[in-house]
Amino acid sequence: DPAAVPALREGLHSLTPDCRALCAWALGEIGTKQAEEALLEREREETEPAVLAELRQAKEKITGKHP
């Protein structure tokens, strides 16, 4: 549901890596331009490898492209 994007964007800043990864996955499932923007924004700041991997997979799901 695209209405969830603002809450999921906030979740990308959780202190818990699992929460950030789950929010990234959900944004990839939603697939809107706003979801993609949230993923790109977080990818620039993220340091946890598992979360970075999930961010990239979610972004690929939206764009259909591998890096």
Side-chain angles (χ1 to χ4, degrees), residues 25-54:
W25 173 84
L27 287 164
E29 292 295 307
I30 291 171
T32 63
K33 183 67 176 166
Q34 293 78 17
E36 182 182 8
E37 290 169 359
L39 293 167
L40 289 169
E41 177 184 299
R42 184 62 203 173
E43 186 178 21
R44 290 190 292 268
E45 301 171 11
E46 186 59 57
T47 59
E48 182 69 35
V51 179
L52 275 170
E54 192 63 53

Side-chain angles (χ1 to χ4, degrees), residues 5 7-8 10-11 15 17 23 25 31 34 45 47 52 59 62 66:
V5 171
L8 292 168
E10 283 186 40
L15 295 177
C23 288
W25 173 84
Q34 293 78 17
E45 301 171 11
T47 59
L52 275 170
K59 195 172 60 173
I62 293 171
H66 294 284

